[in-house]
Amino acid sequence: MDAIEKAIRNAFEKGNAEDRAFRERVYRSAFAALDRALQANPGVTVEVAIKRRKAVQAKITEIESEFLPAVPGIGQPTDGDAAAPAVKQPADSEADAEAEAETDAGADAEPAPPPDVVVDAPAKLPASDAPRSRVLPVVPDIMPDAVFPGVPEIDMSSPPSTGDGDAEVMPDRDDRRVRGPRLPLTAIFLGVTLLAAVGIGLYFAAQTGVFKSAAELDTAPPQTAPTVEDDDFTPPGDTASPLGSGDVERDWVNVFSPSDPTLVSAPSDAKAEVMQDDSGSFLRIRSGASGSAISFDVGQGVLEKLAGKHATFDIIARSEEGKETQISVDCNFGELGDCGRKRYAVGHERNEYLFDVRFPDKPPGAAGTIAINSDFDKQGKSVDIYEIRVSIVP
């Protein structure tokens, strides 16, 4: 007994199987269960769905034949008997009717139930005592979501056996029926492009500081009074700046120029020589093997102007061609303290190297010095000094 027959007969046991109305409700419930099972499996093709419905229809026809009495053969009505109206089997839809017609037309040896059947007409035997036959009923179709009160639930989720290899559920080749309509490629491309543009815009906005507060944008180093106890301190804001950027709205005071080399002091193992090329005049300094620095005088009159002020020193320099170097800068301003130790990476391009000092408000007492070591790594590299100057920060 296959799954279809077993499900229907189990339902018969829960009611009066001799009641034709009850049997019809069971058959309709079986069809409804089948449709629910097919709808729950979107991979079932139209051909397989039609074949399953035919299998259930054939099995119901076979079961129903057991409950009908023998009647005269079809095509042999007796005199005076009115023929019972034929019961037509409705098609589920135009697509199912066309597919069913094509399937029936291609099946050479497959029997199908007769379209019109006499079910309730009174039976009378002719005088010739013609042979008697049993008539199979036409099973009515159903709506997918029909509910029949009083009829046991029938589980049709397991596929019925049709006796051939077509019972296996194959994926529907029409992707639009299974997955629904797809978005056009143009819409997908525009959406991806828009998202990419938004992402790039947010990235550059974050890089340029659009979302930062004023406090976060202020990256200037904290200003502290100079001290003579921390010679190796290098403020994070001491960096080189493009040449000429310090000239904007500043009143510069000259501390050193190559035209007055008498303000320079070089130890015995160091060298200082005034030179000139297309870039102008400069003092080429080279520290000795001991790492000794070359000193540049800062006049007492200059320091008196800076007392109690916030000042910016500017060293305009470059390295010898093809020999990038690191220089260190130390200051001694007498009673006004120092500037801490600074370190800069100097390339061959002429550039400015700035540092700030906040001077206490008292007399300097004497002149000061700025000492420059041309090669912090002690490899004998030289540095060209074009100018040293200072201005008061407004």
Side-chain angles (χ1 to χ4, degrees):
M1 183 182 300
D2 60 14
I4 299 174
E5 182 177 0
K6 183 177 180 180
I8 293 175
R9 293 190 182 277
N10 287 341
F12 281 171
E13 294 176 359
K14 299 177 182 180
N16 183 10
E18 298 299 328
D19 184 0
R20 177 177 176 178
F22 173 74
R23 294 198 305 273
E24 287 184 0
R25 290 197 298 270
V26 171
Y27 299 150
R28 290 179 182 273
S29 178
F31 271 114
L34 174 62
D35 281 354
R36 287 194 298 272
L38 294 176
Q39 292 173 3
N41 187 355
V44 177
T45 64
V46 174
E47 292 79 7
V48 172
I50 293 174
K51 194 173 291 293
R52 289 192 180 179
R53 291 180 63 84
K54 283 183 171 294
V56 174
Q57 194 173 29
K59 183 55 64 179
I60 292 175
T61 302
E62 179 183 344
I63 295 173
E64 180 63 16
S65 65
E66 301 176 4
F67 295 92
L68 296 179
V71 298
I74 298 175
Q76 300 179 5
T78 59
D79 296 338
D81 290 336
V87 181
K88 290 294 285 185
Q89 175 178 316
D92 290 340
S93 64
E94 292 181 6
D96 289 348
E98 292 176 2
E100 181 174 348
E102 293 174 0
T103 305
D104 291 341
D108 295 336
E110 184 178 9
D116 299 322
V117 178
V118 177
V119 177
D120 295 331
K124 292 186 178 181
L125 296 179
S128 59
D129 195 15
R132 302 167 64 88
S133 61
R134 305 187 71 180
V135 180
L136 302 182
V138 173
V139 179
D141 207 342
I142 55 95
M143 296 298 292
D145 296 327
V147 179
F148 305 99
V151 179
E153 183 72 18
I154 295 181
D155 184 10
M156 299 293 288
S157 58
S158 300
S161 174
T162 59
D164 51 25
D166 293 336
E168 181 180 359
V169 176
M170 301 296 293
D172 195 337
R173 296 183 180 179
D174 190 352
D175 292 339
R176 292 173 300 179
R177 185 185 300 117
V178 178
R179 301 178 184 174
R182 295 182 177 177
L183 289 176
L185 293 178
T186 303
I188 296 175
F189 176 79
L190 290 177
V192 173
T193 303
L194 181 60
L195 289 176
V198 172
I200 294 173
L202 291 176
Y203 173 79
F204 280 105
Q207 293 296 318
T208 54
V210 173
F211 304 115
K212 292 183 179 180
S213 63
E216 292 175 330
L217 292 174
D218 185 10
T219 56
Q223 301 299 327
T224 56
T227 174
V228 297
E229 299 177 356
D230 189 9
D231 293 340
D232 292 330
F233 173 71
T234 304
D238 292 334
T239 57
S241 63
L243 190 64
S245 65
D247 295 337
V248 180
E249 299 181 359
R250 292 221 179 176
D251 184 14
W252 292 101
V253 176
N254 184 270
V255 176
F256 163 79
S257 67
S259 61
D260 189 5
T262 59
L263 301 177
V264 180
S265 301
S268 58
D269 60 345
K271 294 181 181 180
E273 182 181 3
V274 177
M275 304 179 69
Q276 187 172 1
D277 60 10
D278 294 340
S279 63
S281 299
F282 54 84
L283 180 70
R284 176 164 290 178
I285 62 174
R286 191 186 308 271
S287 298
S290 63
S292 56
I294 290 86
S295 297
F296 297 83
D297 291 343
V298 181
Q300 182 176 353
V302 174
L303 292 179
E304 288 175 351
K305 294 179 181 179
L306 302 178
K309 304 293 192 307
H310 179 195
T312 297
F313 286 84
D314 182 9
I315 301 175
I316 302 175
R318 72 176 184 181
S319 68
E320 189 176 355
E321 184 175 2
K323 296 181 180 180
E324 183 175 321
T325 185
Q326 288 192 23
I327 66 172
S328 65
V329 179
D330 294 276
C331 308
N332 181 5
F333 300 127
E335 296 295 329
L336 298 182
D338 63 15
C339 63
R341 175 170 292 181
K342 319 292 180 183
R343 287 179 61 182
Y344 305 95
V346 180
H348 184 61
E349 295 295 329
R350 179 175 169 176
N351 213 339
E352 293 182 296
Y353 301 90
L354 309 172
F355 60 90
D356 291 347
V357 178
R358 189 178 295 275
F359 291 95
D361 189 8
K362 62 182 179 179
T369 60
I370 296 176
I372 300 177
N373 185 339
S374 67
D375 185 8
F376 188 81
D377 296 328
K378 299 180 181 181
Q379 296 181 4
K381 298 178 182 178
S382 65
V383 170
D384 299 336
I385 306 296
Y386 287 88
E387 185 180 1
I388 299 177
R389 56 187 183 175
V390 64
S391 69
I392 297 174
V393 178

